[in-house]
Amino acid sequence: RAIALPLSTKLGVKDKQRARAQPNPVLEAFYSRHSKNPTEAQLLRLAGRSELAPRTVQRWFRRRRNADRASQTQKFAEACWRFMFYIISFFTGLAVLHDKPWFWDHRECWTGYPQQPLQPSLFWYYMLELSFYWSLVFTLPFDVKRKDFKEQVVHHAATIFLISFSYCANYIRIGTLVLVIHDASDCFLEPTKIFNYMKWKKTCDSLFMIFSAVFLISRLLVYPYTVLYNTYYYSMEIFQPFFGYYFVNALLIVLQLLHVFWSCLIIHMVYKFMLHGTMEKDMRSDTEESDKDEEREQKQKGLRRFSSLPSSPCGQSNGCEVLGSRAQPPNGHLKER
């Protein structure tokens, strides 16, 4: 907030002006204590209690929900913070693992298991990742809520359990591979969001295509072969299955199911991109409710008022004659303006 919010102003990130809901104690009490999306029957009851029209009450709730949604500058700040972490964690992982034998030969993950010494660099890399995912859990109520909020909670919980249990069961080597694979695509996701908020469409579209390729390759090809196949088959050559074997594989499969879910969303966005030539807005984002319904209502009211006006005798005459009779005085000369 201290760095990204002032930076967003300099980079031209602007918040959309939203119509504010008028203060109303009755509606505000229902909004905060019961529901943000009242049913039709509740709208009618609230309209009677507040002495307002049902459409006015509905409009009030729409504007009140929009007031609680994150602004563009808040999203920009969140994306900047996550991009900073992912870029640091990814290159930290590469620096820690580039000289490790299991980074190049995945069978080495099980050589000497469970008697594998924990090096200080691996310990601090693990603590860096674990602390970040715990921070995501603690800040869930304050972060930008998206449509896949429940999937995000499952993902964070599975990741924390996986990091913690792999540390306790000395699955450090396979755990480091999981972390560096996940950080690879996230390094491109957050800058894609940043440029989208800045309205740099071409840069955003280019990064989105790179992110899609890296995500699909790393999560649907590299992860299953490097991690799932490794833990399911290669580990069986070293030791017999035990509780940790089943528990770790169950968590890894949960992550893979989430990868498939997000891959479907990304493939759909890529398909839209190929059709329209520009990136569709993030399908994970919580769509802001606009006042188009309100504008449509006002237009309909205007049409009803126009149709209710009494018809004049001039309305039945020729349009050109009416225009001429209004623009030209009786003496035939145009009035000077």
Side-chain angles (χ1 to χ4, degrees), residues 87-88 128-129:
I87 201 73
I88 292 175
L128 174 68
E129 294 280 357

Side-chain angles (χ1 to χ4, degrees), residues 29-46:
F30 185 91
Y31 181 88
S32 57
R33 299 175 186 175
H34 295 87
S35 175
K36 298 180 180 180
N37 293 278
T39 62
E40 186 175 354
Q42 291 172 335
L43 284 175
L44 293 176
R45 287 197 297 268
L46 290 171

Side-chain angles (χ1 to χ4, degrees), residues 237-273:
E237 300 175 359
I238 308 300
F239 55 85
Q240 294 297 319
F242 65 109
F243 171 76
Y245 169 83
Y246 297 108
F247 187 72
V248 167
N249 277 283
L251 292 176
L252 293 175
I253 291 174
V254 170
L255 287 181
Q256 182 59 24
L257 293 177
L258 292 172
H259 296 164
V260 173
F261 169 77
W262 284 316
S263 297
C264 293
L265 297 181
I266 292 173
I267 291 173
H268 181 73
M269 294 178 69
V270 171
Y271 175 74
K272 292 292 186 181
F273 177 84

Side-chain angles (χ1 to χ4, degrees), residues 281-294:
K281 62 183 178 180
D282 189 0
M283 295 178 64
R284 298 169 53 240
S285 299
D286 190 7
T287 306
E288 180 179 339
E289 299 177 48
S290 64
D291 285 335
K292 290 183 179 180
D293 295 335
E294 179 180 348

